[in-house]
Amino acid sequence: MPHTKLRRLVTISVAVSLGATALAACGSSDDNDGEADSGPVSLTYWSWTPGMDKVADLWNEGQGKKDQIKVTVKKQASGDTLVTKILTAHKAKKAPDLVQAEYQALPTLVSNDALADIAGDVDGVKDKFAEGVWQQTTLGSDAVYAIPQDSGPMMFYYREDLFKKYGLQVPKTWEEFAETARALKKKAPETDLTTFSANDSGLFAGLAQQAGAKWWTTEGDKWKVGIDDAASQKVADFWGGLVKEGAIDNQPMYTPAWNKALNTGKQIAWVSAVWAPGTLTTAAPDTKGKWAMAPLPQWSAAENVTGSWGGSSTAVTTDSAHKSAAAKFATWLNTDPEALTALAKEGGIYPAATTAQTSGAFTEPPAYFSNQPDFYTQASAIAKTTAPSAWGPNVNVAYTTFKDAFGAAAKNKSDFGAALTKMQDDTVADLDKQGFEVAE
């Protein structure tokens, strides 16, 4: 979709609800285009990544000093809290120059005209990222609204020792995954292959993405919601069926009970993302060195694709008086080898830039996976297969409904398809309420 059409589309109505906050769009992406970047420039960057100030210091003492561009980092909360704060600041035309934004938040920020199109300042950057990751920063247009920072390619984690004990093979397809879950139940009735959890919407979104789902797309000047599309229905039916028959557990993640299940071997696998080692280190400390990672099971043996769970980008705001300077820093931050090594060391991120995924901090496996020397080599190969996503301006509404509807369905072992329909209906109703034009 051409940039002009996207801009016309997203400015039809831009009152985007975030919790109890509803803000309308103001300003224009063309504001401040006549910036004068000669002489010293001072930029402010809102970010939640730990140690980002130390990474910015590398810029300030090196390339930034040479270009006379100084960046000051202001630590922020993440998620919807930060999005709301950005939109509040933008409404007063006082947003910072740069913001860290999760990929699924970009359409909301673009819809409110808070992010600048920096396509003219980032020539040659696209090839440094996997196509599916880069696409999330363009919203399918010829504009560029951010530079990818970190990514969350999904993969399959399993207890290597217990798979051997129970005579299980690592599943390469979802059909094999289901068969493995059932086989384990027969051999060890009190043990679960994994659990379906409804307390993190990103997991299901990533699984649907892998299956080919496109939850938000556009038709002309209208948004089209496809949360209940065939791909998503397939994923919902698959997991709902396993829960209903008792082949897997139905308890939420990140609870003391879940941690104990992982630590004691009651749950022996986890569908997660590249950041899982950090979670496992805390949740299951007694099992360090006993887990292994493999590619996500596929819907067809001939496929090789993964979904994405998590990840963020660096964007330049429309309020910045120095957009080109800000874009220069954003590019350096997310493509320069020294910057990426520092981001990994200080912030613990997995870089979106493909060249950094097997260099610097990623030449050795995570300490928790010291038994798998090729951890990051495999992770990099998997990351390159990330499927494109399709986010919209009210992801928060869909995610909230997911937690409620799928949470109840998992607990009651009821129809996951009905929960998916509820997500679709609530998301469409919200877009209509905000005044967006919605295609049937």
Side-chain angles (χ1 to χ4, degrees), residues 151-155 157 272-278 293 309 350 366 375-376 379:
S151 63
M154 296 178 68
M155 42 202 68
Y157 292 87
S272 189
V274 70
W275 42 260
M293 178 269 286
W309 182 6
Y350 183 72
F375 181 95
Y376 283 123

Side-chain angles (χ1 to χ4, degrees), residues 98 116-129 134 137-138 142-148 314-316 323-335:
L98 298 127
D117 173 11
I118 56 173
D121 295 304
V122 295
D123 287 345
V125 175
K126 175 182 177 180
D127 294 341
K128 298 182 182 296
F129 303 94
W134 180 257
T137 67
T138 68
D142 55 5
V144 176
Y145 294 107
I147 304 295
T314 307
V316 177
K323 296 184 183 64
S324 291
K328 184 178 290 187
F329 170 75
T331 299
W332 172 87
L333 179 66
N334 299 308
T335 63

Side-chain angles (χ1 to χ4, degrees), residues 195-216:
T195 187
F196 178 86
S197 174
N199 64 348
D200 193 323
S201 318
L203 172 55
F204 185 83
L207 291 170
Q209 178 187 344
Q210 184 213 19
K214 299 200 183 318
W215 284 1
W216 284 268

Side-chain angles (χ1 to χ4, degrees), residues 224-306:
K224 184 175 178 62
V225 180
I227 290 175
D228 63 349
D229 63 10
S232 301
Q233 290 175 359
K234 178 170 65 174
V235 175
D237 290 346
F238 175 81
W239 288 93
L242 290 177
V243 167
K244 188 173 184 179
E245 69 177 84
I248 61 172
D249 199 3
N250 60 345
Q251 300 302 309
M253 302 177 291
Y254 314 133
T255 64
W258 181 72
N259 291 347
K260 183 178 180 180
L262 292 174
N263 202 37
T264 60
K266 187 181 182 303
Q267 179 181 322
I268 69 171
W270 183 28
V271 174
S272 189
V274 70
W275 42 260
T279 301
L280 290 171
T281 298
T282 303
D286 297 341
T287 61
K288 177 181 178 181
K290 296 180 179 180
W291 290 78
M293 178 269 286
L296 209 60
Q298 302 293 310
W299 287 103
S300 166
E303 293 178 330
N304 181 24
V305 63
T306 193

